[in-house]
Amino acid sequence: MTLKMMFKKKSKKGSENMYYDGTKLLSLKDINGNKPEIYISTTNRTGGKTTYFNRLAVNRFKKNKSKFMTIYRFNYELDDVAEKFFNDIKGLFFPNDTFTSKRKANGIYHELYLNDEKCGYAVTLNSADALKKYSHIFNDVKLMIMDEFQSETNHYCDKEVQKLQSIHTSVARGNNKQVRYVPVILIGNPVSLLNPYYVALGISERLQKNTKFLKGNGFVVEQGYNDSASKAQKESAFNKAFSNSTYNSYNEQGVYLNDNMTFIETPTGRSKYVCTVSYKNKNYAIKEYQNSGIVYCDDKADSTYPLRLALTTDDMKINYVMLKSNDFLVANLRYYFEHGCFRFKNLQCKECILKLVSY
């Protein structure tokens, strides 16, 4: 049974487009024509993504006892995990069901129960290392869900993507298999192209404003926009009071909260050389156009300029330093990027800067 067959949307006639429907996303193959193991869903807020996928997980358990795992970042988020996961969908779809959790292993993870029957687990990324010891317990998990995978405040775990990989490795073993197919659904709002998941998967440099579905190696991405959710936000008296707020644009239009549009164009005037950046065996120049408040990246690096940064260990050369030694400079460049002040000669230059300023 495929993922798309496990959930059939039911709605009243004429309301099919009011709320999010993940059927199309779950039906897609990856860029190689294979079944993906990572499904990424992003739309503007209040579109119904979380409701859809949480209901999917519960329905799967009800139909075939397929257990699921919900993933959070920090341990304190597990304290009210049952209410957090179930409250919204209970009133809509499961009014006669109860959902509870039990703290296990001194709070390292929680067991989830539907009507007193174990249906899954809740874990946190920050416990990834400790969870390795309990991998044998999770060998019945068939689906993993992480909500809010993009942080509005850019508050991520240290090495967050690696921690998710570690948890998935712990889960996708057992049952006489070295590796099981366990799909991961990442749900979020369009906060920043620089979020660690987009950067790690190479999505940042490929995603365009008009992209609806993006396929990669082992993953698919949906970039949706729910018009009814946007209209409801606009009609809110509270949001009308903050009509000029950037945050309202994020709510209503589905734009990236922390990113302004970045441009491939060449500024004019006098510039000041800032540094050279080495990325994928190629040198890039970062220049500041002070009169226009623009920072520009091109591929005409000055080989004599002393400040040279290497993005990765593979880019290290004599007289180049790693980024960690220049946190202040990177923070300033990130500020320019997030305020729409970067320009690029071409897509390769843009990719270099996305890697440079990513969190």
Side-chain angles (χ1 to χ4, degrees), residues 2 12 19 33 35 43 51 61 83 101 164-165 172 215 232 246 257 273 280 283 287 290 292 315 322-323 352:
T2 63
K12 295 181 179 179
Y19 298 105
K35 183 166 61 173
T43 69
T51 298
F61 178 75
E83 293 83 1
S101 71
L164 178 63
Q165 290 175 287
K215 297 181 178 183
T246 301
L257 174 62
Y273 202 91
K280 289 186 176 180
N283 288 336
K287 305 168 184 177
Q290 295 175 316
S292 55
D315 299 314
M322 291 296 292
L323 293 183
C352 171

Side-chain angles (χ1 to χ4, degrees), residues 61-261:
F61 178 75
K62 284 193 161 198
K63 291 175 182 177
N64 54 31
K65 304 303 178 185
S66 179
K67 294 185 177 66
F68 57 90
M69 175 179 281
T70 60
I71 304 170
Y72 302 88
R73 283 193 174 86
F74 308 109
N75 287 23
Y76 70 84
E77 295 181 84
L78 295 182
D79 290 342
D80 56 352
V81 66
E83 293 83 1
K84 190 179 302 181
F85 177 85
F86 198 66
N87 273 11
D88 284 346
I89 60 175
K90 176 180 174 64
L92 291 170
F93 308 110
F94 308 107
N96 300 319
D97 294 304
T98 60
F99 195 84
T100 56
S101 71
K102 291 182 181 179
R103 191 170 179 266
K104 307 294 287 188
N106 294 319
I108 291 176
Y109 70 95
H110 281 219
E111 288 182 344
L112 305 176
Y113 290 83
L114 182 68
N115 302 325
D116 297 325
E117 184 178 3
K118 187 166 74 172
C119 62
Y121 311 89
V123 303
T124 63
L125 293 173
N126 261 356
S127 296
D129 192 55
L131 290 170
K132 294 177 184 177
K133 302 175 183 177
Y134 302 93
S135 60
H136 62 285
I137 295 175
F138 306 134
N139 62 16
D140 55 357
V141 170
K142 301 292 180 63
L143 175 68
M144 301 168 68
I145 298 175
M146 181 177 177
D147 199 1
E148 306 294 349
F149 79 93
Q150 294 192 50
S151 167
E152 287 189 10
T153 59
N154 292 316
H155 187 201
Y156 294 98
C157 298
D158 183 44
K159 298 181 179 178
E160 176 156 327
V161 175
Q162 292 93 319
K163 289 178 178 178
L164 178 63
Q165 290 175 287
S166 175
I167 292 175
H168 188 268
T169 300
S170 297
V171 170
R173 53 173 292 189
N175 288 339
N176 298 319
K177 294 182 180 180
Q178 290 181 317
V179 180
R180 298 185 298 122
Y181 173 78
V182 183
V184 179
I185 298 175
L186 302 178
I187 310 166
N189 304 312
V191 177
S192 177
L193 290 171
L194 304 181
N195 76 78
Y197 297 94
Y198 280 11
V199 173
L201 294 172
I203 296 171
S204 301
E205 55 263 29
R206 294 178 58 202
L207 197 65
Q208 303 296 319
K209 186 177 182 181
N210 60 350
T211 301
K212 292 186 177 180
F213 293 98
L214 181 72
K215 297 181 178 183
N217 186 17
F219 69 86
V220 289
V221 182
E222 178 180 21
Q223 185 173 245
Y225 176 68
N226 190 301
D227 188 58
S228 65
S230 175
K231 288 179 179 177
Q233 290 285 347
K234 290 178 181 178
E235 291 169 0
S236 161
F238 181 86
N239 285 334
K240 286 179 180 178
F242 296 97
S243 57
N244 296 323
S245 166
T246 301
Y247 193 87
N248 266 7
S249 296
Y250 157 61
N251 273 336
E252 296 170 2
Q253 301 168 21
V255 301
Y256 282 86
L257 174 62
N258 292 338
D259 297 333
N260 282 307
M261 293 300 295

Side-chain angles (χ1 to χ4, degrees), residues 270-283:
R270 298 183 61 181
S271 65
K272 174 185 176 183
Y273 202 91
V274 177
C275 66
T276 298
V277 179
S278 178
Y279 176 57
K280 289 186 176 180
N281 296 316
K282 190 171 183 178
N283 288 336

